[in-house]
Amino acid sequence: MNISGLDLNLLRVFDAVFRHGSVSRASEELGMSQPAASQAVTRLRQLLGDPLFERMHGGVRPTPRAERLAQAVRAALATLEVALAEAHAFEPSQAHKRFRIHLSDIGEARFLPPLMLALHAQAPHVQLETLPMPMHEIADALDRGSLDIAIGFLPGVTGTQQQVLLSDHYAVLLRKRHPLLKNLKGEWLSAEHLRRLDFVAVRSHSETLRILRTLDLQAQIRLSAAHFMAVPSIVQQTDLAVIMPAEIAETFVELGDYVLLQAELPESAFDVSLHWSWRFEQEPANQWLRALVSEIFTRRQ
């Protein structure tokens, strides 16, 4: 086909329908009516000689031709977005923008307080939304722009730009009056000590589950919780132990009711990193947010 006859808006509609798997949701994102979006897809079908999308329950699915076309369209639109954005510097004090960040529940407790304090001071009109996602979806969400950045220990996220924010390790949190502490010398738990403990585990933090499996301690998991936030209270009121990042655990120790112990835990060291997509490497707002996050957590080390 002759590309000179191609309307760029047709590609924007194609990209939105492909990402959402729905004409109606694509039209909502683009601020156009559903009939107009359907008409745009029809025009592109005629130009390319391919149906592009097939109807299915709850939306549409792309044809093989559309699958091949999507990556090129996405890259072309991203190049245009960056080129246009470069002409406009981001002014945080005046900006009315919503940033979307991947953080786990532990990550929210660790990162949001200082980040919100900095945003209040530097960008009072900016909004922040956390969107926790399965690890295998994060890189694609960053590429699509559904996420601006992701923060965490994310070993399964590949193909992204990364910067290490902090290094940490896993340790064991107990209540201060735990029976094990009566005869414990020092602040180190041996393998024998670990076998005498019962644990609460959090399913959203796969690394702690890996550690317990590696130590063959699965049978000692008395509670498997979906989220982290209730766990410190459970530890405080029971004899259950929890394996968690030491830096976050220290914040509970400061409350006075907990003890943090080092232990013989396999591969317990890890890095918390900032992730973003190469597509938005030069986008001014994304650059500013990354620099702010980096400054906050480099300063706290």
Side-chain angles (χ1 to χ4, degrees), residues 99-120:
F99 288 110
R100 291 154 296 188
I101 299 178
H102 164 85
L103 281 169
S104 67
D105 48 354
I106 278 186
E108 288 183 347
R110 169 66 180 82
F111 287 93
L112 285 185
L115 182 54
M116 291 307 299
L117 183 64
L119 286 176
H120 177 71

Side-chain angles (χ1 to χ4, degrees), residues 173-192:
L173 189 71
L174 301 174
R175 70 183 181 97
K176 201 168 187 177
R177 292 170 295 281
H178 194 287
L180 183 70
L181 299 176
K182 293 179 181 178
N183 300 315
L184 185 66
K185 297 179 181 179
E187 298 182 352
W188 183 268
L189 294 178
S190 67
E192 178 59 31

Side-chain angles (χ1 to χ4, degrees), residues 68-297:
R68 295 192 298 271
L69 182 64
Q71 185 173 359
V73 169
R74 194 176 303 170
L77 291 175
T79 300
L80 285 172
E81 289 168 3
V82 170
L84 293 172
E86 286 177 346
H88 303 280
F90 181 72
E91 296 291 344
S93 63
Q94 304 298 320
H96 290 74
K97 180 176 175 60
R98 180 189 294 267
F99 288 110
R100 291 154 296 188
I101 299 178
H102 164 85
L103 281 169
S104 67
D105 48 354
I106 278 186
E108 288 183 347
R110 169 66 180 82
F111 287 93
L112 285 185
L115 182 54
M116 291 307 299
L117 183 64
L119 286 176
H120 177 71
Q122 300 186 34
H125 308 297
V126 162
Q127 296 177 308
L128 201 63
E129 179 180 4
T130 60
L131 294 173
M133 291 186 173
M135 199 176 302
H136 67 274
E137 296 180 7
I138 292 174
D140 187 54
L142 290 169
D143 280 345
R144 293 198 315 268
S146 302
L147 285 174
D148 293 293
I149 59 173
I151 301 173
F153 173 44
L154 304 169
V157 177
T158 59
T160 61
Q161 308 289 78
Q162 301 181 28
Q163 177 188 344
V164 174
L165 296 177
L166 61 93
S167 296
D168 202 355
H169 67 280
Y170 289 103
V172 179
L173 189 71
L174 301 174
R175 70 183 181 97
K176 201 168 187 177
R177 292 170 295 281
H178 194 287
L180 183 70
L181 299 176
K182 293 179 181 178
N183 300 315
L184 185 66
K185 297 179 181 179
E187 298 182 352
W188 183 268
L189 294 178
S190 67
E192 178 59 31
H193 289 132
L194 292 172
R195 284 192 287 271
R196 291 162 53 190
L197 289 172
D198 290 330
F199 293 88
V200 51
V202 183
R203 294 192 297 276
S204 60
H205 299 277
S206 59
E207 283 301 298
T208 58
L209 293 173
R210 175 193 61 77
I211 290 172
L212 289 169
R213 285 196 301 268
T214 302
L215 295 171
D216 197 23
L217 297 176
Q218 304 98 306
Q220 291 164 233
I221 299 176
R222 296 289 172 258
L223 171 63
S224 177
H227 304 289
F228 170 76
M229 296 312 296
V231 169
S233 295
I234 294 168
V235 170
Q236 184 186 38
Q237 299 176 49
T238 69
D239 288 338
L240 295 177
V242 61
I243 296 173
M244 61 181 297
E247 185 173 355
I248 295 176
E250 288 285 1
T251 64
F252 295 106
V253 173
E254 292 171 4
L255 300 176
D257 292 330
Y258 302 91
V259 173
L260 182 65
L261 299 172
Q262 307 306 317
E264 297 177 5
L265 303 177
E267 300 179 22
S268 66
F270 63 92
D271 291 330
V272 173
S273 296
L274 168 66
H275 295 252
W276 67 95
S277 171
W278 62 270
R279 293 183 59 203
F280 301 100
E281 179 82 26
Q282 302 301 323
E283 201 276 318
N286 195 291
Q287 283 185 325
W288 176 82
L289 179 62
R290 299 193 316 260
L292 179 64
V293 169
S294 177
E295 177 189 355
I296 291 170
F297 296 104

